[in-house]
Amino acid sequence: MPGLEDLYKEIILDHYRNPRHRGELACPPAHKTEGFNPLCGDEVSLTFELQSNVVRELLVIGQGCSISQASASMMSAAVQGKSVAEVRDLTRRFKAMMSIHETSIDPQVAPSEHEATFELGDLEALKGVVKFPVRIKCATLSWNTLLTGLDDLQV
Ligand code: ZN
């Protein structure tokens, strides 16, 4: 029986090989935001259309490592039809999951209490990336890029 790590690897590879919501929307009316991770050479370009502060559609173009591109694909699938507030909340939870290694682990606390629940579905497949700190920026690139785009619009 495949373990959880194998399942996570499968999910990441599936998104890398078959990226969701690939392409570019016409700007305007869509908005464009681009991000670059110089540590790894990953690039993402996001175009998205908002309607009453809801992501009506978001498309991705990018190139780079499997983690960055799989994460962008997962992000694109996760944000379609969500409100800006929901997207911001999801981004906050995703980044919390990606930064958990940075929080000091208190040996007095039972291991289960360190196991935060993120309720992120497929996105949790990227949880293993925290073991490789150099790759965390790959995983968070598309999310930070979208946040920058939302901040620029002041929504
Ligand atoms: Zn990368």
Side-chain angles (χ1 to χ4, degrees):
M1 207 177 93
L4 196 56
E5 296 234 340
D6 293 324
L7 176 68
Y8 282 168
K9 222 175 282 173
E10 277 305 306
I11 293 172
I12 291 169
L13 279 178
D14 177 50
H15 276 272
Y16 179 58
R17 291 182 184 135
N18 312 295
R20 321 296 199 265
H21 307 284
R22 194 90 182 158
E24 201 163 31
L25 296 165
C27 302
H31 309 284
K32 185 174 190 165
T33 174
E34 292 171 295
F36 178 56
N37 169 22
L39 291 178
C40 185
D42 309 315
E43 292 172 22
V44 291
S45 166
L46 310 175
T47 48
F48 60 98
E49 220 178 304
L50 298 178
Q51 207 167 50
S52 315
N53 272 4
V54 167
V55 178
R56 209 183 63 78
E57 193 173 13
L58 177 144
L59 296 182
V60 184
I61 295 180
Q63 55 182 359
C65 71
S66 57
I67 299 293
S68 69
Q69 301 309 306
S71 182
S73 170
M74 289 182 192
M75 185 274 289
S76 73
V79 303
Q80 310 282 338
K82 288 218 165 56
S83 70
V84 169
E86 287 171 320
V87 169
R88 285 185 179 278
D89 177 63
L90 191 61
T91 306
R92 190 183 51 73
R93 281 187 287 138
F94 181 77
K95 287 174 72 170
M97 180 175 83
M98 283 295 137
S99 62
I100 201 149
H101 76 291
E102 288 166 4
T103 61
S104 58
I105 301 291
D106 182 350
Q108 302 301 314
V109 178
S112 63
E113 292 178 51
H114 290 305
E115 290 286 322
T117 310
F118 300 101
E119 291 171 22
L120 290 169
D122 274 8
L123 294 171
E124 295 200 23
L126 289 164
K127 197 157 55 177
V129 172
V130 298
K131 283 184 275 181
F132 310 97
V134 71
R135 310 307 297 279
I136 291 173
K137 283 209 171 0
C138 304
T140 54
L141 173 66
S142 52
W143 297 85
N144 285 329
T145 303
L146 180 55
L147 268 192
T148 304
L150 295 175
D151 287 346
D152 286 349
L153 292 173
Q154 298 183 310
V155 287

